[in-house]
Amino acid sequence: MAKWECLVCGWVYDEDKGDPDNGIDPGTKFEDLPDDWVCPMCGAGKEDFEKL
């Protein structure tokens, strides 16, 4: 599974880990995240992420 880095703060979304603190189950692909999901560290939108 892929990892995506926030270009604003550097936080990495790891598809294997998900974002359980915000209701995103492990194994959730980045493209399957809700459109209103934001970086849990800085609040940047999905458009501010780049695949690693």
Side-chain angles (χ1 to χ4, degrees), residues 13-45:
Y13 176 75
D14 184 338
E15 294 179 348
D16 286 329
K17 296 179 181 176
D19 183 14
D21 291 341
N22 292 296
I24 306 298
D25 292 330
T28 302
K29 292 185 179 278
F30 187 81
E31 56 265 21
D32 293 335
L33 292 171
D35 290 336
D36 62 351
W37 179 87
V38 295
C39 175
M41 293 301 290
C42 73

Side-chain angles (χ1 to χ4, degrees), residues 2-22:
K3 294 181 182 180
W4 295 75
E5 182 178 15
C6 177
L7 299 174
V8 176
C9 73
W11 184 81
V12 175
Y13 176 75
D14 184 338
E15 294 179 348
D16 286 329
K17 296 179 181 176
D19 183 14
D21 291 341
N22 292 296

